Amino acid sequence: MARRFKPYTRIAAIWDEIGQDKFSERMVDYTLQILKRKNFQPRSALDLCCGTGTAAIRFARKGWEVYGLDGSADMLEIASGKIRKEKVTVRLIYQRLPEFEIKRNGGLGLKTFDLVTAYYDSLNYLLKEEELSVCFRNVNRHLNPEGLFIFDMNTKEALKYLWGEKIYARAYDNIAWIWQSLFYERAAQADLRAVCFVRKGKLWERFEEVHTEKAYPLSVLKRLLHSAGFRVEHLYDCFRFAKPKKKAYRLAWVARKVRNVS
Ligand SMILES: C[S@@+](CC[C@H](N)C(=O)[O-])C[C@H]1O[C@@H](n2cnc3c(N)ncnc32)[C@H](O)[C@@H]1O
């Protein structure tokens, strides 16, 4: 029996090695295109659920003031090593959504940003509508007036058909993984059991993590964003600039802060 760990603990050390950082890279390219089309030039950004820091580092290289927040100490440890190696400045915050609070330097009032991002279906990890609502409100509080919130989320179709009752596997020289998922229709949730093998000399270490995501109807997400003080300016089929088809798997949301919320 493989030892089971909390999500984003043991997998942190192999996240980039198994190519998961490529998603963030792609999202940054896509975000920069969105910003260009909107003629929006941020000078500061907060990357929520920043994981191993790939997006935050890219933003920092542009000269922006960047913070990265994540609830996994293991992911942040990898991020911290990469930031040091890249010689960029990114402030890492170890906090868990939906409640988060970043104080201004000196401690008076909240730190605010021009841009807040959350990539790679990270917000699907919030399993209750109330949590998503609290998270959106906290994003609002950390945005400057007219600031943008850009994030991607999996749809129910993705959890049902892409994750579904499927098994994905890859084997490399020193790492192998098997990902098996189960979809629960009524809850619109899916569990992904990630079994990983990492070579340690002549032996292979085996561990597993279970990751659970929930999908929300568009109407719910729009309502929550609206009541959290946002105007949804674009809803795209992720990585494109077209309106999503009915059965789209991943949507990119571009929302602007239009009023303060308490
Ligand atoms: C799919 S990974 C994405 C990481 C990174 N954004 C990327 O694109 O590579 C999801 C990240 O969300 C973080 N996460 C999940 N639930 C969280 C929560 N409630 N609060 C803070 N971070 C959370 C995990 O620790 C993990 O780093």
Side-chain angles (χ1 to χ4, degrees), residues 7-9 15-16 20-25 27 47-55 69-73 75-76 93 95-99 117-126 131 152 211 213:
Y8 297 104
T9 49
W15 186 255
D16 288 3
Q20 295 297 314
D21 55 334
K22 300 292 175 294
F23 185 89
S24 235
E25 294 278 7
M27 275 310 286
D47 187 33
L48 294 177
C49 301
C50 66
T52 59
T54 306
L69 176 148
D70 204 281
S72 157
M75 294 293 266
L76 289 177
I93 311 281
Q95 286 186 30
R96 279 197 77 72
L97 305 182
E99 298 286 355
T117 52
Y119 294 150
Y120 213 172
D121 40 90
S122 295
L123 298 183
N124 289 96
Y125 280 79
L126 298 177
E131 291 177 345
D152 66 274
H211 294 212
E213 290 199 2

mmCIF file of all heavy atoms in Angstrom, residues 7-9 15-16 20-25 27 47-55 69-73 75-76 93 95-99 117-126 131 152 211 213, ligand 1:
data_model
loop_
_atom_site.group_PDB
_atom_site.id
_atom_site.type_symbol
_atom_site.label_atom_id
_atom_site.label_comp_id
_atom_site.label_asym_id
_atom_site.label_seq_id
_atom_site.Cartn_x
_atom_site.Cartn_y
_atom_site.Cartn_z
ATOM 1 N N PRO A 7 -2.607 16.698 -0.602
ATOM 2 C CA PRO A 7 -2.315 17.247 -1.923
ATOM 3 C C PRO A 7 -1.198 18.295 -1.867
ATOM 4 O O PRO A 7 -1.128 19.081 -0.923
ATOM 5 C CB PRO A 7 -3.627 17.907 -2.350
ATOM 6 C CG PRO A 7 -4.674 17.339 -1.475
ATOM 7 C CD PRO A 7 -4.021 16.851 -0.223
ATOM 8 N N TYR A 8 -0.364 18.252 -2.863
ATOM 9 C CA TYR A 8 0.734 19.221 -3.028
ATOM 10 C C TYR A 8 1.743 19.198 -1.879
ATOM 11 O O TYR A 8 2.219 20.230 -1.439
ATOM 12 C CB TYR A 8 0.183 20.638 -3.279
ATOM 13 C CG TYR A 8 -0.589 20.665 -4.556
ATOM 14 C CD1 TYR A 8 -1.982 20.680 -4.557
ATOM 15 C CD2 TYR A 8 0.062 20.593 -5.780
ATOM 16 C CE1 TYR A 8 -2.701 20.626 -5.746
ATOM 17 C CE2 TYR A 8 -0.645 20.542 -6.971
ATOM 18 C CZ TYR A 8 -2.011 20.564 -6.942
ATOM 19 O OH TYR A 8 -2.712 20.507 -8.118
ATOM 20 N N THR A 9 2.010 17.991 -1.415
ATOM 21 C CA THR A 9 3.103 17.839 -0.463
ATOM 22 C C THR A 9 4.243 17.122 -1.198
ATOM 23 O O THR A 9 5.181 17.772 -1.663
ATOM 24 C CB THR A 9 2.656 17.073 0.804
ATOM 25 O OG1 THR A 9 1.971 15.876 0.414
ATOM 26 C CG2 THR A 9 1.746 17.921 1.660
ATOM 27 N N TRP A 15 6.870 18.317 -9.480
ATOM 28 C CA TRP A 15 5.884 19.079 -10.273
ATOM 29 C C TRP A 15 6.479 19.622 -11.575
ATOM 30 O O TRP A 15 5.942 19.406 -12.667
ATOM 31 C CB TRP A 15 5.336 20.223 -9.409
ATOM 32 C CG TRP A 15 4.227 21.004 -10.022
ATOM 33 C CD1 TRP A 15 4.286 22.253 -10.556
ATOM 34 C CD2 TRP A 15 2.853 20.594 -10.143
ATOM 35 N NE1 TRP A 15 3.051 22.655 -11.004
ATOM 36 C CE2 TRP A 15 2.149 21.648 -10.769
ATOM 37 C CE3 TRP A 15 2.148 19.438 -9.804
ATOM 38 C CZ2 TRP A 15 0.774 21.584 -11.041
ATOM 39 C CZ3 TRP A 15 0.776 19.377 -10.080
ATOM 40 C CH2 TRP A 15 0.120 20.437 -10.689
ATOM 41 N N ASP A 16 7.599 20.324 -11.461
ATOM 42 C CA ASP A 16 8.209 20.908 -12.660
ATOM 43 C C ASP A 16 8.845 19.820 -13.533
ATOM 44 O O ASP A 16 8.775 19.865 -14.758
ATOM 45 C CB ASP A 16 9.277 21.942 -12.278
ATOM 46 C CG ASP A 16 8.647 23.220 -11.721
ATOM 47 O OD1 ASP A 16 7.409 23.274 -11.583
ATOM 48 O OD2 ASP A 16 9.393 24.169 -11.409
ATOM 49 N N GLN A 20 4.638 19.945 -15.392
ATOM 50 C CA GLN A 20 3.428 20.670 -15.001
ATOM 51 C C GLN A 20 3.629 22.186 -15.043
ATOM 52 O O GLN A 20 2.662 22.941 -15.113
ATOM 53 C CB GLN A 20 2.973 20.220 -13.604
ATOM 54 C CG GLN A 20 2.540 18.775 -13.522
ATOM 55 C CD GLN A 20 1.324 18.478 -14.395
ATOM 56 O OE1 GLN A 20 0.351 19.202 -14.400
ATOM 57 N NE2 GLN A 20 1.399 17.412 -15.163
ATOM 58 N N ASP A 21 4.892 22.623 -14.968
ATOM 59 C CA ASP A 21 5.163 24.067 -15.028
ATOM 60 C C ASP A 21 4.825 24.654 -16.401
ATOM 61 O O ASP A 21 4.627 25.857 -16.545
ATOM 62 C CB ASP A 21 6.630 24.349 -14.672
ATOM 63 C CG ASP A 21 7.602 23.573 -15.545
ATOM 64 O OD1 ASP A 21 7.217 22.503 -16.063
ATOM 65 O OD2 ASP A 21 8.743 24.038 -15.710
ATOM 66 N N LYS A 22 4.729 23.790 -17.406
ATOM 67 C CA LYS A 22 4.468 24.287 -18.767
ATOM 68 C C LYS A 22 3.106 24.954 -18.859
ATOM 69 O O LYS A 22 2.886 25.865 -19.652
ATOM 70 C CB LYS A 22 4.539 23.140 -19.795
ATOM 71 C CG LYS A 22 5.872 22.432 -19.850
ATOM 72 C CD LYS A 22 6.959 23.343 -20.413
ATOM 73 C CE LYS A 22 8.330 22.725 -20.378
ATOM 74 N NZ LYS A 22 8.890 22.477 -19.040
ATOM 75 N N PHE A 23 2.169 24.484 -18.031
ATOM 76 C CA PHE A 23 0.830 25.069 -18.077
ATOM 77 C C PHE A 23 0.874 26.549 -17.678
ATOM 78 O O PHE A 23 0.296 27.416 -18.327
ATOM 79 C CB PHE A 23 -0.138 24.295 -17.163
ATOM 80 C CG PHE A 23 -1.532 24.805 -17.285
ATOM 81 C CD1 PHE A 23 -2.398 24.277 -18.228
ATOM 82 C CD2 PHE A 23 -1.973 25.872 -16.515
ATOM 83 C CE1 PHE A 23 -3.674 24.794 -18.390
ATOM 84 C CE2 PHE A 23 -3.246 26.395 -16.670
ATOM 85 C CZ PHE A 23 -4.094 25.858 -17.602
ATOM 86 N N SER A 24 1.579 26.788 -16.578
ATOM 87 C CA SER A 24 1.705 28.165 -16.082
ATOM 88 C C SER A 24 2.380 29.059 -17.118
ATOM 89 O O SER A 24 1.986 30.210 -17.320
ATOM 90 C CB SER A 24 2.587 28.144 -14.829
ATOM 91 O OG SER A 24 1.955 28.736 -13.760
ATOM 92 N N GLU A 25 3.428 28.515 -17.753
ATOM 93 C CA GLU A 25 4.139 29.276 -18.801
ATOM 94 C C GLU A 25 3.142 29.702 -19.874
ATOM 95 O O GLU A 25 3.131 30.841 -20.332
ATOM 96 C CB GLU A 25 5.225 28.401 -19.461
ATOM 97 C CG GLU A 25 6.371 27.994 -18.551
ATOM 98 C CD GLU A 25 7.442 29.083 -18.426
ATOM 99 O OE1 GLU A 25 7.226 30.198 -18.943
ATOM 100 O OE2 GLU A 25 8.467 28.796 -17.784
ATOM 101 N N MET A 27 -0.102 29.946 -19.607
ATOM 102 C CA MET A 27 -1.080 30.907 -19.075
ATOM 103 C C MET A 27 -0.488 32.311 -19.012
ATOM 104 O O MET A 27 -1.202 33.293 -19.213
ATOM 105 C CB MET A 27 -1.551 30.493 -17.674
ATOM 106 C CG MET A 27 -2.679 29.497 -17.630
ATOM 107 S SD MET A 27 -4.119 29.866 -18.651
ATOM 108 C CE MET A 27 -4.940 31.191 -17.787
ATOM 109 N N ASP A 47 -0.067 36.385 -7.625
ATOM 110 C CA ASP A 47 -0.455 35.106 -8.219
ATOM 111 C C ASP A 47 -0.937 34.188 -7.104
ATOM 112 O O ASP A 47 -0.150 33.732 -6.279
ATOM 113 C CB ASP A 47 0.731 34.473 -8.974
ATOM 114 C CG ASP A 47 0.299 33.218 -9.743
ATOM 115 O OD1 ASP A 47 -0.862 33.176 -10.210
ATOM 116 O OD2 ASP A 47 1.109 32.279 -9.863
ATOM 117 N N LEU A 48 -2.261 33.955 -7.092
ATOM 118 C CA LEU A 48 -2.835 33.067 -6.075
ATOM 119 C C LEU A 48 -2.557 31.629 -6.460
ATOM 120 O O LEU A 48 -2.567 31.283 -7.638
ATOM 121 C CB LEU A 48 -4.355 33.273 -5.990
ATOM 122 C CG LEU A 48 -4.844 34.622 -5.484
ATOM 123 C CD1 LEU A 48 -6.368 34.678 -5.542
ATOM 124 C CD2 LEU A 48 -4.352 34.889 -4.068
ATOM 125 N N CYS A 49 -2.349 30.776 -5.478
ATOM 126 C CA CYS A 49 -2.061 29.365 -5.715
ATOM 127 C C CYS A 49 -0.865 29.272 -6.669
ATOM 128 O O CYS A 49 -0.914 28.580 -7.690
ATOM 129 C CB CYS A 49 -3.270 28.642 -6.282
ATOM 130 S SG CYS A 49 -4.703 28.736 -5.203
ATOM 131 N N CYS A 50 0.183 29.980 -6.313
ATOM 132 C CA CYS A 50 1.328 30.175 -7.217
ATOM 133 C C CYS A 50 2.156 28.909 -7.392
ATOM 134 O O CYS A 50 3.009 28.849 -8.281
ATOM 135 C CB CYS A 50 2.223 31.292 -6.699
ATOM 136 S SG CYS A 50 3.037 30.890 -5.136
ATOM 137 N N GLY A 51 1.923 27.902 -6.560
ATOM 138 C CA GLY A 51 2.641 26.637 -6.721
ATOM 139 C C GLY A 51 4.142 26.819 -6.691
ATOM 140 O O GLY A 51 4.695 27.464 -5.779
ATOM 141 N N THR A 52 4.816 26.316 -7.710
ATOM 142 C CA THR A 52 6.281 26.369 -7.738
ATOM 143 C C THR A 52 6.807 27.698 -8.304
ATOM 144 O O THR A 52 7.984 27.807 -8.638
ATOM 145 C CB THR A 52 6.864 25.181 -8.530
ATOM 146 O OG1 THR A 52 6.328 25.237 -9.865
ATOM 147 C CG2 THR A 52 6.511 23.842 -7.902
ATOM 148 N N GLY A 53 5.922 28.668 -8.446
ATOM 149 C CA GLY A 53 6.361 30.040 -8.709
ATOM 150 C C GLY A 53 6.648 30.390 -10.168
ATOM 151 O O GLY A 53 7.123 31.499 -10.448
ATOM 152 N N THR A 54 6.300 29.499 -11.081
ATOM 153 C CA THR A 54 6.646 29.737 -12.497
ATOM 154 C C THR A 54 6.073 31.057 -13.025
ATOM 155 O O THR A 54 6.801 31.866 -13.619
ATOM 156 C CB THR A 54 6.125 28.563 -13.364
ATOM 157 O OG1 THR A 54 6.641 27.358 -12.801
ATOM 158 C CG2 THR A 54 6.557 28.682 -14.809
ATOM 159 N N ALA A 55 4.782 31.292 -12.786
ATOM 160 C CA ALA A 55 4.154 32.515 -13.310
ATOM 161 C C ALA A 55 4.701 33.743 -12.580
ATOM 162 O O ALA A 55 5.010 34.760 -13.209
ATOM 163 C CB ALA A 55 2.640 32.436 -13.151
ATOM 164 N N LEU A 69 1.100 33.548 -3.600
ATOM 165 C CA LEU A 69 0.488 32.977 -2.384
ATOM 166 C C LEU A 69 0.123 31.525 -2.645
ATOM 167 O O LEU A 69 -0.379 31.189 -3.719
ATOM 168 C CB LEU A 69 -0.758 33.791 -2.037
ATOM 169 C CG LEU A 69 -1.619 33.322 -0.851
ATOM 170 C CD1 LEU A 69 -2.260 34.530 -0.161
ATOM 171 C CD2 LEU A 69 -2.696 32.314 -1.229
ATOM 172 N N ASP A 70 0.389 30.677 -1.689
ATOM 173 C CA ASP A 70 -0.011 29.270 -1.819
ATOM 174 C C ASP A 70 -0.202 28.664 -0.430
ATOM 175 O O ASP A 70 0.403 29.102 0.546
ATOM 176 C CB ASP A 70 1.053 28.477 -2.595
ATOM 177 C CG ASP A 70 0.474 27.225 -3.247
ATOM 178 O OD1 ASP A 70 0.286 26.216 -2.534
ATOM 179 O OD2 ASP A 70 0.186 27.266 -4.468
ATOM 180 N N GLY A 71 -1.037 27.625 -0.398
ATOM 181 C CA GLY A 71 -1.310 26.948 0.875
ATOM 182 C C GLY A 71 -0.445 25.726 1.090
ATOM 183 O O GLY A 71 -0.650 24.985 2.053
ATOM 184 N N SER A 72 0.491 25.477 0.178
ATOM 185 C CA SER A 72 1.381 24.322 0.338
ATOM 186 C C SER A 72 2.810 24.794 0.612
ATOM 187 O O SER A 72 3.435 25.426 -0.247
ATOM 188 C CB SER A 72 1.355 23.449 -0.924
ATOM 189 O OG SER A 72 2.541 22.678 -1.004
ATOM 190 N N ALA A 73 3.306 24.449 1.791
ATOM 191 C CA ALA A 73 4.677 24.840 2.149
ATOM 192 C C ALA A 73 5.676 24.158 1.214
ATOM 193 O O ALA A 73 6.720 24.726 0.884
ATOM 194 C CB ALA A 73 4.952 24.448 3.597
ATOM 195 N N MET A 75 5.232 23.324 -2.029
ATOM 196 C CA MET A 75 5.273 24.008 -3.328
ATOM 197 C C MET A 75 6.048 25.316 -3.177
ATOM 198 O O MET A 75 6.878 25.671 -4.031
ATOM 199 C CB MET A 75 3.853 24.288 -3.849
ATOM 200 C CG MET A 75 3.044 23.051 -4.196
ATOM 201 S SD MET A 75 3.662 22.113 -5.619
ATOM 202 C CE MET A 75 2.706 22.789 -6.968
ATOM 203 N N LEU A 76 5.805 26.017 -2.073
ATOM 204 C CA LEU A 76 6.486 27.305 -1.865
ATOM 205 C C LEU A 76 7.994 27.124 -1.691
ATOM 206 O O LEU A 76 8.774 27.986 -2.090
ATOM 207 C CB LEU A 76 5.893 28.026 -0.653
ATOM 208 C CG LEU A 76 4.483 28.588 -0.848
ATOM 209 C CD1 LEU A 76 3.960 29.210 0.447
ATOM 210 C CD2 LEU A 76 4.442 29.616 -1.976
ATOM 211 N N ILE A 93 3.893 34.116 0.054
ATOM 212 C CA ILE A 93 2.997 34.173 1.212
ATOM 213 C C ILE A 93 2.403 32.777 1.422
ATOM 214 O O ILE A 93 1.798 32.221 0.492
ATOM 215 C CB ILE A 93 1.811 35.143 0.943
ATOM 216 C CG1 ILE A 93 2.301 36.485 0.410
ATOM 217 C CG2 ILE A 93 0.929 35.292 2.175
ATOM 218 C CD1 ILE A 93 2.835 37.429 1.426
ATOM 219 N N GLN A 95 -0.377 31.093 2.846
ATOM 220 C CA GLN A 95 -1.739 31.219 3.392
ATOM 221 C C GLN A 95 -2.658 30.350 2.560
ATOM 222 O O GLN A 95 -2.368 30.057 1.404
ATOM 223 C CB GLN A 95 -2.226 32.675 3.325
ATOM 224 C CG GLN A 95 -1.598 33.595 4.347
ATOM 225 C CD GLN A 95 -2.216 34.994 4.332
ATOM 226 O OE1 GLN A 95 -3.389 35.192 4.016
ATOM 227 N NE2 GLN A 95 -1.399 35.983 4.684
ATOM 228 N N ARG A 96 -3.800 30.001 3.149
ATOM 229 C CA ARG A 96 -4.760 29.172 2.442
ATOM 230 C C ARG A 96 -5.984 29.982 2.050
ATOM 231 O O ARG A 96 -6.499 30.760 2.850
ATOM 232 C CB ARG A 96 -5.227 28.007 3.337
ATOM 233 C CG ARG A 96 -4.251 26.841 3.355
ATOM 234 C CD ARG A 96 -4.904 25.584 3.894
ATOM 235 N NE ARG A 96 -5.763 24.939 2.922
ATOM 236 C CZ ARG A 96 -5.332 24.280 1.855
ATOM 237 N NH1 ARG A 96 -4.049 24.162 1.607
ATOM 238 N NH2 ARG A 96 -6.181 23.716 1.029
ATOM 239 N N LEU A 97 -6.438 29.788 0.827
ATOM 240 C CA LEU A 97 -7.718 30.348 0.403
ATOM 241 C C LEU A 97 -8.814 29.552 1.114
ATOM 242 O O LEU A 97 -8.584 28.396 1.452
ATOM 243 C CB LEU A 97 -7.895 30.196 -1.110
ATOM 244 C CG LEU A 97 -6.794 30.766 -2.015
ATOM 245 C CD1 LEU A 97 -7.199 30.554 -3.464
ATOM 246 C CD2 LEU A 97 -6.556 32.227 -1.733
ATOM 247 N N PRO A 98 -9.991 30.079 1.295
ATOM 248 C CA PRO A 98 -10.456 31.336 0.715
ATOM 249 C C PRO A 98 -10.086 32.578 1.517
ATOM 250 O O PRO A 98 -10.100 33.674 0.986
ATOM 251 C CB PRO A 98 -11.984 31.159 0.719
ATOM 252 C CG PRO A 98 -12.266 30.260 1.870
ATOM 253 C CD PRO A 98 -11.089 29.324 1.961
ATOM 254 N N GLU A 99 -9.798 32.385 2.817
ATOM 255 C CA GLU A 99 -9.444 33.558 3.622
ATOM 256 C C GLU A 99 -7.988 33.890 3.350
ATOM 257 O O GLU A 99 -7.137 33.035 3.525
ATOM 258 C CB GLU A 99 -9.585 33.244 5.117
ATOM 259 C CG GLU A 99 -10.976 32.877 5.564
ATOM 260 C CD GLU A 99 -11.903 34.083 5.613
ATOM 261 O OE1 GLU A 99 -11.415 35.208 5.384
ATOM 262 O OE2 GLU A 99 -13.104 33.859 5.873
ATOM 263 N N THR A 117 -3.988 36.874 -10.343
ATOM 264 C CA THR A 117 -4.165 35.705 -11.206
ATOM 265 C C THR A 117 -4.321 34.450 -10.345
ATOM 266 O O THR A 117 -3.884 34.413 -9.186
ATOM 267 C CB THR A 117 -2.945 35.508 -12.135
ATOM 268 O OG1 THR A 117 -1.755 35.502 -11.330
ATOM 269 C CG2 THR A 117 -2.833 36.604 -13.167
ATOM 270 N N ALA A 118 -4.929 33.428 -10.934
ATOM 271 C CA ALA A 118 -4.999 32.100 -10.278
ATOM 272 C C ALA A 118 -5.083 31.096 -11.421
ATOM 273 O O ALA A 118 -6.092 31.035 -12.128
ATOM 274 C CB ALA A 118 -6.220 31.990 -9.378
ATOM 275 N N TYR A 119 -3.996 30.366 -11.621
ATOM 276 C CA TYR A 119 -3.886 29.493 -12.794
ATOM 277 C C TYR A 119 -4.007 27.996 -12.480
ATOM 278 O O TYR A 119 -3.730 27.558 -11.376
ATOM 279 C CB TYR A 119 -2.506 29.690 -13.441
ATOM 280 C CG TYR A 119 -2.265 31.058 -14.046
ATOM 281 C CD1 TYR A 119 -0.973 31.567 -14.089
ATOM 282 C CD2 TYR A 119 -3.291 31.827 -14.579
ATOM 283 C CE1 TYR A 119 -0.704 32.811 -14.646
ATOM 284 C CE2 TYR A 119 -3.032 33.076 -15.140
ATOM 285 C CZ TYR A 119 -1.741 33.559 -15.169
ATOM 286 O OH TYR A 119 -1.489 34.780 -15.718
ATOM 287 N N TYR A 120 -4.290 27.272 -13.542
ATOM 288 C CA TYR A 120 -4.292 25.796 -13.555
ATOM 289 C C TYR A 120 -5.369 25.241 -12.642
ATOM 290 O O TYR A 120 -5.092 24.475 -11.732
ATOM 291 C CB TYR A 120 -2.906 25.267 -13.151
ATOM 292 C CG TYR A 120 -2.521 23.960 -13.836
ATOM 293 C CD1 TYR A 120 -1.236 23.438 -13.713
ATOM 294 C CD2 TYR A 120 -3.436 23.248 -14.602
ATOM 295 C CE1 TYR A 120 -0.868 22.260 -14.330
ATOM 296 C CE2 TYR A 120 -3.083 22.064 -15.228
ATOM 297 C CZ TYR A 120 -1.802 21.580 -15.079
ATOM 298 O OH TYR A 120 -1.448 20.397 -15.685
ATOM 299 N N ASP A 121 -6.557 25.653 -12.883
ATOM 300 C CA ASP A 121 -7.750 25.215 -12.151
ATOM 301 C C ASP A 121 -7.603 25.222 -10.633
ATOM 302 O O ASP A 121 -8.277 24.453 -9.932
ATOM 303 C CB ASP A 121 -8.290 23.867 -12.654
ATOM 304 C CG ASP A 121 -7.257 22.809 -13.002
ATOM 305 O OD1 ASP A 121 -6.891 22.040 -12.095
ATOM 306 O OD2 ASP A 121 -6.834 22.742 -14.156
ATOM 307 N N SER A 122 -6.756 26.112 -10.138
ATOM 308 C CA SER A 122 -6.527 26.149 -8.687
ATOM 309 C C SER A 122 -7.809 26.465 -7.915
ATOM 310 O O SER A 122 -8.009 25.947 -6.811
ATOM 311 C CB SER A 122 -5.462 27.193 -8.344
ATOM 312 O OG SER A 122 -4.233 26.806 -8.903
ATOM 313 N N LEU A 123 -8.679 27.310 -8.506
ATOM 314 C CA LEU A 123 -9.884 27.684 -7.756
ATOM 315 C C LEU A 123 -10.914 26.560 -7.724
ATOM 316 O O LEU A 123 -11.846 26.583 -6.913
ATOM 317 C CB LEU A 123 -10.486 28.977 -8.317
ATOM 318 C CG LEU A 123 -9.559 30.201 -8.203
ATOM 319 C CD1 LEU A 123 -10.251 31.462 -8.715
ATOM 320 C CD2 LEU A 123 -9.089 30.417 -6.762
ATOM 321 N N ASN A 124 -10.743 25.553 -8.593
ATOM 322 C CA ASN A 124 -11.619 24.377 -8.505
ATOM 323 C C ASN A 124 -11.383 23.588 -7.218
ATOM 324 O O ASN A 124 -12.164 22.703 -6.879
ATOM 325 C CB ASN A 124 -11.409 23.436 -9.704
ATOM 326 C CG ASN A 124 -11.933 23.990 -11.006
ATOM 327 O OD1 ASN A 124 -11.186 24.570 -11.779
ATOM 328 N ND2 ASN A 124 -13.215 23.838 -11.268
ATOM 329 N N TYR A 125 -10.277 23.901 -6.536
ATOM 330 C CA TYR A 125 -9.997 23.212 -5.269
ATOM 331 C C TYR A 125 -10.878 23.739 -4.133
ATOM 332 O O TYR A 125 -10.889 23.159 -3.049
ATOM 333 C CB TYR A 125 -8.515 23.345 -4.880
ATOM 334 C CG TYR A 125 -7.631 22.372 -5.641
ATOM 335 C CD1 TYR A 125 -7.244 22.633 -6.946
ATOM 336 C CD2 TYR A 125 -7.209 21.188 -5.051
ATOM 337 C CE1 TYR A 125 -6.460 21.740 -7.655
ATOM 338 C CE2 TYR A 125 -6.414 20.293 -5.739
ATOM 339 C CZ TYR A 125 -6.045 20.577 -7.046
ATOM 340 O OH TYR A 125 -5.270 19.676 -7.736
ATOM 341 N N LEU A 126 -11.554 24.861 -4.360
ATOM 342 C CA LEU A 126 -12.499 25.362 -3.347
ATOM 343 C C LEU A 126 -13.809 24.608 -3.568
ATOM 344 O O LEU A 126 -14.440 24.738 -4.619
ATOM 345 C CB LEU A 126 -12.679 26.875 -3.492
ATOM 346 C CG LEU A 126 -11.389 27.682 -3.268
ATOM 347 C CD1 LEU A 126 -11.625 29.166 -3.493
ATOM 348 C CD2 LEU A 126 -10.822 27.435 -1.859
ATOM 349 N N GLU A 131 -17.052 29.249 -0.128
ATOM 350 C CA GLU A 131 -15.591 29.478 -0.125
ATOM 351 C C GLU A 131 -15.175 30.309 -1.338
ATOM 352 O O GLU A 131 -14.337 31.210 -1.238
ATOM 353 C CB GLU A 131 -14.845 28.139 -0.150
ATOM 354 C CG GLU A 131 -14.985 27.355 1.135
ATOM 355 C CD GLU A 131 -14.311 25.992 1.067
ATOM 356 O OE1 GLU A 131 -13.978 25.526 -0.049
ATOM 357 O OE2 GLU A 131 -14.120 25.391 2.121
ATOM 358 N N ASP A 152 -8.305 30.735 -14.605
ATOM 359 C CA ASP A 152 -8.918 29.678 -15.419
ATOM 360 C C ASP A 152 -9.522 28.636 -14.489
ATOM 361 O O ASP A 152 -9.013 28.408 -13.390
ATOM 362 C CB ASP A 152 -7.889 29.023 -16.342
ATOM 363 C CG ASP A 152 -6.828 28.273 -15.570
ATOM 364 O OD1 ASP A 152 -5.824 28.897 -15.154
ATOM 365 O OD2 ASP A 152 -7.011 27.057 -15.322
ATOM 366 N N HIS A 211 -6.356 14.413 -5.150
ATOM 367 C CA HIS A 211 -6.722 15.806 -5.402
ATOM 368 C C HIS A 211 -8.202 15.869 -5.776
ATOM 369 O O HIS A 211 -8.636 15.122 -6.647
ATOM 370 C CB HIS A 211 -5.896 16.376 -6.554
ATOM 371 C CG HIS A 211 -4.436 16.477 -6.234
ATOM 372 N ND1 HIS A 211 -3.636 17.452 -6.754
ATOM 373 C CD2 HIS A 211 -3.627 15.737 -5.440
ATOM 374 C CE1 HIS A 211 -2.401 17.311 -6.299
ATOM 375 N NE2 HIS A 211 -2.376 16.266 -5.503
ATOM 376 N N GLU A 213 -11.422 18.255 -7.070
ATOM 377 C CA GLU A 213 -11.859 19.523 -7.667
ATOM 378 C C GLU A 213 -13.375 19.536 -7.813
ATOM 379 O O GLU A 213 -13.988 18.484 -7.989
ATOM 380 C CB GLU A 213 -11.220 19.718 -9.057
ATOM 381 C CG GLU A 213 -9.740 19.975 -9.000
ATOM 382 C CD GLU A 213 -9.188 20.606 -10.283
ATOM 383 O OE1 GLU A 213 -9.975 20.874 -11.214
ATOM 384 O OE2 GLU A 213 -7.962 20.823 -10.330
HETATM 385 C C1 LIG B 1 -2.779 22.780 -10.036
HETATM 386 S S1 LIG B 1 -1.643 23.544 -8.906
HETATM 387 C C2 LIG B 1 -1.274 25.016 -9.808
HETATM 388 C C3 LIG B 1 -0.013 25.672 -9.374
HETATM 389 C C4 LIG B 1 0.402 26.845 -10.263
HETATM 390 N N1 LIG B 1 -0.625 27.866 -10.291
HETATM 391 C C5 LIG B 1 0.711 26.347 -11.652
HETATM 392 O O1 LIG B 1 0.029 26.795 -12.592
HETATM 393 O O2 LIG B 1 1.616 25.524 -11.791
HETATM 394 C C6 LIG B 1 -2.732 24.109 -7.631
HETATM 395 C C7 LIG B 1 -2.059 24.933 -6.552
HETATM 396 O O3 LIG B 1 -3.081 25.460 -5.734
HETATM 397 C C8 LIG B 1 -2.661 25.371 -4.377
HETATM 398 N N2 LIG B 1 -3.891 25.338 -3.566
HETATM 399 C C9 LIG B 1 -4.916 24.462 -3.650
HETATM 400 N N3 LIG B 1 -5.856 24.775 -2.749
HETATM 401 C C10 LIG B 1 -5.412 25.877 -2.093
HETATM 402 C C11 LIG B 1 -5.942 26.697 -1.047
HETATM 403 N N4 LIG B 1 -7.122 26.438 -0.491
HETATM 404 N N5 LIG B 1 -5.226 27.758 -0.639
HETATM 405 C C12 LIG B 1 -4.024 28.046 -1.193
HETATM 406 N N6 LIG B 1 -3.465 27.300 -2.166
HETATM 407 C C13 LIG B 1 -4.159 26.236 -2.611
HETATM 408 C C14 LIG B 1 -1.863 24.100 -4.304
HETATM 409 O O4 LIG B 1 -1.012 24.078 -3.179
HETATM 410 C C15 LIG B 1 -1.133 24.144 -5.638
HETATM 411 O O5 LIG B 1 0.104 24.787 -5.530
#
